[in-house]
Amino acid sequence: MAHLGVGAFHRAHQAVFTEHAIEAAGGDWGIVGLSLRRPDAAAALNPQDGLFTLEIRAAEPRWRIVGALRRVITAPSDPAGALAVLADPAIRVITLTITEPGYVLSPGDLTSPERPHSAAGWLVAALARRREAGTGPVSVVSCDNLRENGGRLADLVLALAQRRDPELAAWIAGEIAFPNTMVDAITPASDAALRARVRDAIGLEDRAAVQREPFAEWVIEDRFAGPRPAWERAGARLVADVAPFEALKLHVLNAAHSTLACLGPPRGHALVREAIADAELAAFLDAMIAREVAPALEASTEEVAAYWRTTRARLGNPALDHRLDQIGRDGGAKLRERIHPLIIAGARAGRPVGRLSSVVQAWLIAEGRDLETSLDDRVLFADAFRAEVAVRDVLTRPPQAAWR
């Protein structure tokens, strides 16, 4: 396997699922990581032969040294090495955790196709090499918090390939699989406190340690172009349709995270567990999920309520120091995925959206922006949003007693 974006979430989630799959079902799988921007991951992991510690944060913490990741290449400083890995016949699966803003095209991908600038650019350059060499198909698996993440990645790759070579685009459409997925595990950023705990637990210095909650879920559309690790033996779910799982996670857990990231800091909170312990904030979220989120989802009211009860308990994990400013990074792009579809659905149906709107209002205030100068920002308000909702009216009306 190759993985684009060797951050904490990949190491705490897909790498661990892959290691468990190898333990359960065998196979000669391993992961080569590609960092698309900074050299930090390579600098931390390569001197440790790719080994790192996973700390499970609970009342009784657990530690595990993970060995599925073999090495890391910093793609911008070694483009030839990165492309060689992605085009290698031994690579049968390519996974990605590049965060929501990574799903864009760069003009440089057309002008310098052998020195790509975006994840889609790297994929198109590598797939062109695979086609030329007759390497065979590969499965490309997005693991980011986007609706229909596999389909959206495929659209991006095909759009770039079409501009480069229509025959390449046709080959990709026929030979390469882009399954949709839903991934879930609350993974706070690594810090000095984590590294100190790991050093005390295992007796070694680990510059690449990661931490996460005990809960982890991976739902994958069962559509591959070739062999893959036996992830189902590690607890992943292979399904025909990811959409129901994706909607619950994106519009309940992720929407709650963004809500706390927008509304928590003005109330003096720095951590998720602090914010959800705020009785007024928790009541705000309870009402938002029940009255504004649940009616917009296909799941039953009972399903949403049960999912929210589990999620609420996870957010309050006293052993997890998940920083609100970590969640708040790239806030506009996250709101566009997590909150805006709910506002659109509610406004079109004539339902209340005051609490959801107040989250967007809080983000605008925190960013020092006003609505009038933000309406043309495509990151925050896509054309679909502007066409379907009177954005100015929705976001400037009183928040419908949102805090009661």
Side-chain angles (χ1 to χ4, degrees), residues 218-272:
W218 197 3
V219 182
I220 312 169
E221 182 183 8
D222 194 3
R223 184 166 58 87
F224 288 83
R228 57 167 177 81
W231 288 315
E232 69 276 18
R233 297 283 300 275
R237 285 193 269 191
L238 278 293
V239 301
D241 185 9
V242 171
F245 304 93
E246 173 186 83
L248 272 176
K249 196 259 180 167
L250 192 63
H251 298 310
V252 178
L253 171 63
N254 293 137
H257 263 155
S258 287
T259 297
L260 294 175
C262 291
L263 302 182
R267 296 173 69 84
H269 305 306
L271 303 175
V272 170

Side-chain angles (χ1 to χ4, degrees), residues 108-329:
D109 293 324
L110 285 173
T111 57
S112 306
E114 293 304 306
R115 282 192 75 92
H117 292 71
S118 68
W122 286 103
L123 289 172
V124 170
L127 292 174
R129 289 194 178 191
R130 296 181 78 96
R131 175 174 172 257
E132 291 165 5
T135 300
V138 66
S139 301
V140 182
V141 185
S142 168
C143 302
D144 283 300
N145 289 321
L146 294 164
R147 289 168 289 126
E148 298 180 353
N149 53 12
R152 290 169 73 166
L153 179 60
D155 289 345
L156 202 63
V157 168
L158 288 169
L160 181 57
Q162 181 68 32
R163 295 176 67 180
R164 176 172 169 169
D165 177 357
E167 291 186 3
L168 172 62
W171 180 83
I172 292 172
E175 298 291 330
I176 308 303
F178 293 86
N180 293 307
T181 72
M182 186 280 283
V183 295
D184 192 5
I186 297 173
T187 307
S190 301
D191 55 18
L194 165 67
R195 289 186 285 273
R197 292 193 304 268
V198 167
R199 182 174 59 245
D200 291 343
I202 70 171
L204 296 168
E205 192 75 32
D206 184 352
R207 297 175 60 200
V210 293
Q211 57 184 328
R212 74 153 211 241
E213 65 173 330
F215 180 94
E217 188 174 22
W218 197 3
V219 182
I220 312 169
E221 182 183 8
D222 194 3
R223 184 166 58 87
F224 288 83
R228 57 167 177 81
W231 288 315
E232 69 276 18
R233 297 283 300 275
R237 285 193 269 191
L238 278 293
V239 301
D241 185 9
V242 171
F245 304 93
E246 173 186 83
L248 272 176
K249 196 259 180 167
L250 192 63
H251 298 310
V252 178
L253 171 63
N254 293 137
H257 263 155
S258 287
T259 297
L260 294 175
C262 291
L263 302 182
R267 296 173 69 84
H269 305 306
L271 303 175
V272 170
R273 60 178 171 80
E274 296 171 347
I276 198 66
D278 181 324
E280 287 188 332
L281 258 181
F284 176 98
L285 270 174
D286 287 341
M288 187 182 89
I289 299 298
R291 300 174 194 173
E292 300 182 16
V293 175
L297 303 180
E298 292 185 7
S300 69
T301 301
E302 293 76 16
E303 285 179 286
V304 176
Y307 186 88
W308 172 236
R309 284 193 296 272
T310 300
T311 298
R312 206 176 189 274
R314 292 169 61 197
L315 298 179
N317 182 342
L320 213 59
D321 290 344
H322 197 187
R323 295 193 59 82
L324 294 171
D325 57 7
Q326 178 191 352
I327 297 167
R329 290 182 199 129

Side-chain angles (χ1 to χ4, degrees), residues 10-33:
H10 165 67
R11 302 203 300 275
H13 188 277
Q14 299 98 51
V16 178
F17 271 94
T18 300
E19 180 145 305
H20 287 321
I22 296 167
E23 290 176 341
D28 57 352
W29 293 97
I31 304 168
V32 179

